[in-house]
């Protein structure tokens, strides 16, 4: 069967500023919370490799864009680092950064690759984090100014903007499950942080609309479809709905419908954990929903009714309402510890079609991190990552099916273009279409999947029995 995608489908990949750019003498970048955390606790990072090392894109973007072309990209997403553009979070704009992002964006456009630009990818400027980061309302104002600055500087050429990438992740990582700085466990702050992120997104959208530019603006959310252990067990179903409210609808609903989910509000009210909201905020959120939704999909969430004891010591936690369920026989990516469930991508697209007005969307991340890919290098020096080709293909088949059933999904970006720095996992798991050899000055080589993706993009689809 031939899987053909709609005309002008977006084929490409995604990355972020903090995971790729690196820091260099004279670049005048300010510290983000990652730079600070690495300075404080390098042992938290795999092989003690920090964000300053990244993949040197700051210097090598021209070479990288040439490789994007060779791997069939017609679009590519990255993020501006707030701490590079405005080193203190507020105030002076770094002209070195303006020059860099201008050249990077122009080079993409000249090569026929549409830049999709995200404004926030987990990277709070440290000067603002010291004052509470997203927990502090002042950060919302600072972010609005930062967003406007980006639109003014680059909005004449960039036509796809995103306010956040996976805004739930700084909430989970920083304030619930301790995998991001400041590694707190504090539900009150978690809720306030989430609320401020949602408000900041709406304010940036409002600012963008006021400027009457030609492009579109949206948000990128990671959707983890929540499946109950047993669909016929009401307790399991209810637990899965609560997990869905916390981790999916918390951002999806305000972004697309302009309202927070009623069940989540009720739950937080019951435990006296509603955020502080100022007059007029909810109207801003209501009026400034997204034009376009980016969806990152890696794994489903399997849920069962709470069986384990609630941990009183931590205070309230989302997990007080459900347990994660290890489904027997599930297919795993053992390196990342994430379940692979291809049909999840179809389920979430159909959910967007049916419950979210078929909002225009695209798959903004999907991919497979594998450790030790050097094992698969062939005699020509190319990594034969057939597992990645299979992973992408199997997901694309379900995207195709959703399109047949009317989903308005406009593209597929894989995570990521070239192997990059994965937060505390640093360079442990590799995700790219292109390998980066850290022992050889970051030399780039297209993997088998990158060559395959070029054919898919050229053909606008693929053949498969
Ligand atoms: C997403 C992030 C990316 C990327 C990816 C892979 O959650 O948006 O920044 O890192 O996941 O995950 P990880 O790097 O944790 O393996």
């Amino acid at each position: 069967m031939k899987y053909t995608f709609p005309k002008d489908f977006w084929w490409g990949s995604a990355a972020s500023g903090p995971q790729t750019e690196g820091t260099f003498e004279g670049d005048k970048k300010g510290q983000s919370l990652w730079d600070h955390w690495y300075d404080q606790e390098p042992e938290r990072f795999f092989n003690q490799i920090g964000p300053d090392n990244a993949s040197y894109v700051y210097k090598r973007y021209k070479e990288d864009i040439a490789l994007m072309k060779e791997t069939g990209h017609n679009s590519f997403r990255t993020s501006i680092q707030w701490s590079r553009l405005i080193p203190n979070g507020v105030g002076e704009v770094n002209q070195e950064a303006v020059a860099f992002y201008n050249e990077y964006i122009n080079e993409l456009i000249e090569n026929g690759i549409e830049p999709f630009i995200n404004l926030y990818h987990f990277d709070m400027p440290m000067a603002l984090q010291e004052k509470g980061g997203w927990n502090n309302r002042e950060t919302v104002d600072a972010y609005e100014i930062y967003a406007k600055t980006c639109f003014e500087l680059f909005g004449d050429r960039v036509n796809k903007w995103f306010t956040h990438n996976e805004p739930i992740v700084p909430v989970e990582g920083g304030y619930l499950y301790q995998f991001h700085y400041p590694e707190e466990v504090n539900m009150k702050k978690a809720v306030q942080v989430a609320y401020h992120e949602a408000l900041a997104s709406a304010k940036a959208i409002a600012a963008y609309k006021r400027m009457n530019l030609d492009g579109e603006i949206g948000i990128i959310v990671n959707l983890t479809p929540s499946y109950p252990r047993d669909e016929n067990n009401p307790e399991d179903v209810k637990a899965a709905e609560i997990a869905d409210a916390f981790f999916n609808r918390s951002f999806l609903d305000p972004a697309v419908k302009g309202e927070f989910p009623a069940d989540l509000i009720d739950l937080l009210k019951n435990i006296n954990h509603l955020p502080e909201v100022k007059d007029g905020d909810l109207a801003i959120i209501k009026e400034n929903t997204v034009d376009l939704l980016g969806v990152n999909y890696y794994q489903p969430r399997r849920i069962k009714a709470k069986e384990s004891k609630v941990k009183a010591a931590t205070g309230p936690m989302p997990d007080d309402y459900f347990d994660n369920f290890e489904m027997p026989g599930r297919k795993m990516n053992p390196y990342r510890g994430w379940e692979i469930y291809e049909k999840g991508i179809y389920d979430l697209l159909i959910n967007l079609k049916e419950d979210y007005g078929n909002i225009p969307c695209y798959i903004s991340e999907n991919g497979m991190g594998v450790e030790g890919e050097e094992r698969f290098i062939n005699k020509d020096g190319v990594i034969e990552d057939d597992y990645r080709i299979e992973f992408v293909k199997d997901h694309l088949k379900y995207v195709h099916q959703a399109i047949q059933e009317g989903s308005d999904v406009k593209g597929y970006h894989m995570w990521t273009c070239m192997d990059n720095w994965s937060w505390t996992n640093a360079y442990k798991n590799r995700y790219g279409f292109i390998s980066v050899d850290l022992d050889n000055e970051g030399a780039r080589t297209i993997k088998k999947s990158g060559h395959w993706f070029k054919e898919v993009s050229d053909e606008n689809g693929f053949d498969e029995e």
Side-chain angles (χ1 to χ4, degrees), residues 135-141 195-196 199 203 277-278 281:
N135 188 42
N136 182 348
R137 173 99 188 189
E138 283 174 29
T139 298
V140 177
D141 302 329
Y195 174 69
H196 282 156
L199 178 63
K203 287 194 164 197
V277 175
K278 282 200 178 164
D281 284 1

Side-chain angles (χ1 to χ4, degrees), residues 19 121-122 165-166 298 336 338 365 415 422-423 431:
Q19 293 175 272
H121 202 123
F122 316 160
N165 174 77
E166 302 189 350
Y298 289 92
R336 190 61 180 84
W338 286 347
E365 286 182 30
W415 184 269
S422 276
W423 317 109
Y431 282 88

Side-chain angles (χ1 to χ4, degrees), residues 256-257 290-293 348-362 402-410:
V256 179
K257 298 181 173 172
V290 297
D291 301 325
L292 173 66
L293 189 72
L348 71 85
L349 288 170
I350 296 302
N351 180 40
L352 293 177
K353 176 181 164 238
E354 287 176 358
D355 292 340
Y356 292 85
N358 209 9
I359 175 97
C361 67
Y362 82 110
I403 294 170
Q404 303 311 303
E405 294 175 25
S407 159
D408 196 8
V409 54
K410 295 179 174 306

Side-chain angles (χ1 to χ4, degrees), residues 4-11 74 403 409-411 459-460:
T4 302
F5 287 79
K7 195 170 161 280
D8 301 325
F9 202 67
W10 305 328
W11 296 106
N74 60 22
I403 294 170
V409 54
K410 295 179 174 306
E459 295 290 317
N460 202 32

